[in-house]
Amino acid sequence: MTTPESLPKAEMVVNAAERFDNLSPAELLEHAIRNGEGQLADNGALVCDTGEFTGRSPEDRYIVKDDTTADTVWWGKINSPFDPDKFDLLHRKMIAFLADKRIYTRYAYAGAHPDYRLNLEVINTLAWHNLFCHNLFLRPKPEELDGFKPEFTILCVPEFKANPEEDGTRNENFAILNLSRNMILIGGTAYAGEMKKGIFSVLNFKLPTERATLSMHASANKGSREDTALFFGLSGTGKTTLSADPQRQLIGDDEHGWAEEGIFNFEGGCYAKVIDLSAEKEPQIYGAVRFGAVLENTKFQDGGRTIDYADKSKTENTRVAYPIHFIDNALEPSVGGIPENIFFLTADAFGVLPPISKLTPGQAMYHFISGYTAKVAGTEVGVTEPEATFSACFGAAFLPLHPTKYAEMLGEKMEKHQTNVWLINTGWNGTGKRIDLRHTRAVISAALKGDLEKVDYQSHPVFGVAVPQSCPDVAGEVLNPEKSWKSREEYDKKAKRLADLFRENFSKYEEFANDEIRAGGPVEG
């Protein structure tokens, strides 16, 4: 990407009492412990608490509305406009706030393909935040640091709180993207994911508009045949778990671009959920929780420094951030060829969707725009029946452009390369139990190996997707979810209810969709 010559560097705009540049992980760990920011677990990982915010705050995320963004950004509930003058005022106030503070800066970049990388400069007041950025973003080689020219700056100051009446924010916390000044301001929150997802949003704007490259909220891996696979899915659907396959090389667990040559990871690390983590279920992620990794909001077992992964007293959104090479079979550089298979992951709490089904191009576009998953009854106060969640392109919260822009780009690529697209349900069936992870792995493995090319399929009576009737290591009754219900009538009722929710959600995109996409939805009225 072109580097704006006028872009202010951190050393040009920040005058702090103490400053530490590009410290190593060991040095940052020393600083974090000395500063009282966290504690070491017995596995060597640094355990930190994010304070009031244990996740992103979508309503407090803004994009500056100016000549660059006014006619391109998808304005609305997800992308709230922010006044350029208010941004400048807030920026000056943050710089003044840092005058007597300690800061940690580092150079990093996003985009593993050299032709599409975005050079970053990160400024933090917390050492563990700087370690998080070391782990999650790509790390320049020592020889690359000389003459490094940042293209985008992240200024993250959790201790600084906005004055809503004066600064134009809704609350004291904020994350504001300025796509003209090439800067993100974050304040009032210590949740580190705001930095990661802020840069993801930047790439979701810049790559499609400036480089004709599709940006994706997806994980990716590569097999021994050099075949690449993509996994789209919202939080909790298994995107990180299923891409960390010991039989395949991990390209990345969350954010990728699809250029003419193939795909590339945006990041240099992984940010995985660790609630109920175990060596048996997720050995790759479990083994990555070690010295250099950062754990968020986890608790210790009584009387020691051993992590209690089942403890959700702080939040269910407990996470670990680690560099990608902590995964044994991670691929570096994190690039792959044209995807042969794409998997849309959904945790269907209604117990309706099959563990695997094959999609036509129209169905693929319909389900991509829908971005469905669901919460199971009883997981939250007030949730007494399954609750559907729809997030366009499996990542609406990070899309500055209208979802149809990304959908059109994906559709063009799928058609050009004849990519197989599969819908995978990692959620529940009629027994009320979650689909066994070994069955999910088995159906994905069969799709990747081509074992499902010659089996018989049946069309789902409500959603119209093609359901394989046999699969290695998976019983036929598992492949057909209606067989797990006590009553076929009850199953049909649930299926029709879910179909109605799909139609209701899709109605807001229908006017932008072509006939093929409209035909990809549920088939029964």
Side-chain angles (χ1 to χ4, degrees):
M1 294 184 179
T2 303
T3 303
E5 294 299 324
S6 60
L7 180 69
K9 297 181 182 179
E11 59 264 35
M12 296 169 62
V13 296
V14 178
N15 294 308
E18 287 185 280
R19 174 187 175 125
F20 299 93
D21 299 326
N22 295 307
L23 294 185
S24 68
E27 291 171 318
L28 288 169
L29 280 164
E30 288 178 354
H31 278 255
I33 292 169
R34 189 164 62 238
N35 297 343
E37 297 173 14
Q39 296 175 292
L40 281 182
D42 59 7
N43 57 17
L46 179 68
V47 178
C48 298
D49 191 299
T50 64
E52 177 185 357
F53 294 94
T54 59
R56 294 180 305 100
S57 183
E59 292 188 353
D60 299 300
R61 169 195 176 274
Y62 311 88
I63 297 177
V64 172
K65 189 173 185 178
D66 56 19
D67 291 343
T68 301
T69 59
D71 298 326
T72 51
V73 166
W74 178 37
W75 300 111
K77 185 178 180 181
I78 289 173
N79 297 308
S80 299
F82 201 80
D83 181 80
D85 293 335
K86 292 288 187 182
F87 179 91
D88 292 342
L89 173 63
L90 199 55
H91 180 218
R92 290 194 295 271
K93 289 171 69 173
M94 292 179 74
I95 296 303
F97 179 84
L98 292 175
D100 60 349
K101 304 295 188 300
R102 176 191 300 115
I103 64 170
Y104 298 88
T105 76
R106 78 177 318 98
Y107 288 151
Y109 64 94
H113 194 296
D115 293 344
Y116 302 93
R117 64 187 276 180
L118 180 71
N119 287 352
L120 307 173
E121 183 161 39
V122 186
I123 308 164
N124 304 114
T125 51
L126 296 176
W128 82 263
H129 271 189
N130 208 247
L131 177 58
F132 174 94
C133 291
H134 170 275
N135 289 349
L136 264 295
F137 297 127
L138 287 151
R139 297 158 288 277
K141 297 175 182 177
E143 60 269 22
E144 293 179 305
L145 292 175
D146 292 334
F148 189 95
K149 294 182 179 180
E151 299 172 88
F152 219 97
T153 299
I154 302 172
L155 179 58
C156 181
V157 187
E159 305 89 343
F160 179 88
K161 296 182 178 181
N163 179 339
E165 291 184 5
E166 180 180 291
D167 298 324
T169 58
R170 289 189 186 89
N171 297 299
E172 293 179 328
N173 60 296
F174 56 88
I176 310 171
L177 282 62
N178 191 322
L179 295 163
S180 295
R181 298 225 14 219
N182 290 338
M183 191 182 301
I184 300 174
L185 302 182
I186 300 171
T189 173
Y191 183 66
E194 293 283 12
M195 294 182 286
K196 162 190 162 65
K197 290 305 186 185
I199 290 300
F200 184 41
S201 296
V202 169
L203 293 170
N204 282 335
F205 180 85
K206 287 183 171 291
L207 288 174
T209 59
E210 298 176 8
R211 302 303 304 272
T213 295
L214 174 63
S215 52
M216 305 174 294
H217 189 213
S219 60
N221 61 26
K222 187 166 75 169
S224 58
R225 297 186 295 103
E226 299 294 308
D227 59 303
T228 298
L230 288 174
F231 300 79
F232 288 86
L234 299 173
S235 180
T237 59
K239 184 157 50 71
T240 297
T241 298
L242 294 169
S243 58
D245 183 340
Q247 304 302 316
R248 296 171 66 85
Q249 288 185 292
L250 178 68
I251 299 173
D253 82 323
D254 197 38
E255 304 169 4
H256 291 81
W258 188 343
E260 194 65 30
E261 308 93 320
I263 68 161
F264 59 95
N265 193 356
F266 290 165
E267 302 182 295
C270 302
Y271 192 36
K273 278 193 168 187
V274 295
I275 192 71
D276 293 325
L277 180 68
S278 68
E280 294 73 29
K281 289 182 180 179
E282 300 175 87
Q284 295 274 45
I285 298 172
Y286 188 88
V289 187
R290 50 190 168 97
F291 184 83
V294 180
L295 283 159
E296 290 180 348
N297 299 318
T298 55
K299 300 292 184 180
F300 295 122
Q301 295 177 10
D302 291 340
R305 290 294 184 90
T306 300
I307 300 298
D308 183 355
Y309 290 111
D311 190 323
K312 54 184 177 183
S313 58
K314 173 76 177 184
T315 176
E316 286 196 18
N317 190 35
T318 52
R319 288 185 178 267
V320 62
Y322 51 85
I324 196 168
H325 58 258
F326 278 20
I327 298 292
D328 292 337
N329 59 341
L331 183 66
E332 291 189 276
S334 304
V335 297
I338 302 298
E340 292 185 14
N341 290 280
I342 294 175
F343 299 94
F344 294 161
L345 308 177
T346 179
D348 174 31
F350 287 80
V352 168
L353 296 176
I356 186 169
S357 51
K358 194 169 187 179
L359 307 182
T360 66
Q363 289 169 342
M365 297 313 306
Y366 183 94
H367 283 273
F368 183 64
I369 290 175
S370 298
Y372 164 70
T373 192
K375 298 175 183 176
V376 68
T379 57
E380 293 183 10
V381 175
V383 180
T384 57
E385 63 176 24
E387 187 175 288
T389 298
F390 295 94
S391 183
C393 310
F394 296 96
F398 321 116
L399 304 183
L401 309 177
H402 194 281
T404 53
K405 171 66 175 177
Y406 307 95
E408 288 169 3
M409 295 182 76
L410 180 63
E412 291 169 0
K413 290 182 178 297
M414 288 191 306
E415 183 177 357
K416 179 179 179 179
H417 301 292
Q418 296 297 297
T419 305
N420 295 316
V421 184
W422 309 86
L423 182 64
I424 303 292
N425 178 18
T426 64
W428 288 258
N429 57 30
T431 66
K433 296 180 180 179
R434 193 152 190 180
I435 294 170
D436 197 310
L437 179 59
R438 63 190 172 89
H439 288 149
T440 301
R441 291 194 184 280
V443 296
I444 289 176
S445 176
L448 290 169
K449 293 177 180 176
D451 292 341
L452 301 183
E453 290 181 3
K454 297 181 180 180
V455 304
D456 292 332
Y457 286 80
Q458 285 186 5
S459 178
H460 190 276
V462 176
F463 283 89
V465 295
V467 183
Q469 296 304 292
S470 60
C471 176
D473 301 318
V474 183
E477 58 266 26
V478 175
L479 297 171
N480 296 278
E482 68 274 11
K483 294 181 179 179
S484 66
W485 286 69
K486 293 180 180 179
S487 162
R488 178 60 190 251
E489 182 181 357
E490 193 65 25
Y491 173 80
D492 290 341
K493 183 179 177 181
K494 278 290 187 194
K496 290 175 182 178
R497 170 60 180 150
L498 181 57
D500 287 341
L501 293 173
F502 265 85
R503 293 189 189 96
E504 180 183 341
N505 172 74
F506 190 75
S507 63
K508 56 180 173 279
Y509 306 113
E510 196 159 9
E511 63 178 298
F512 303 101
N514 60 34
D515 291 341
E516 185 181 26
I517 296 175
R518 291 193 194 98
V523 296
E524 187 171 296

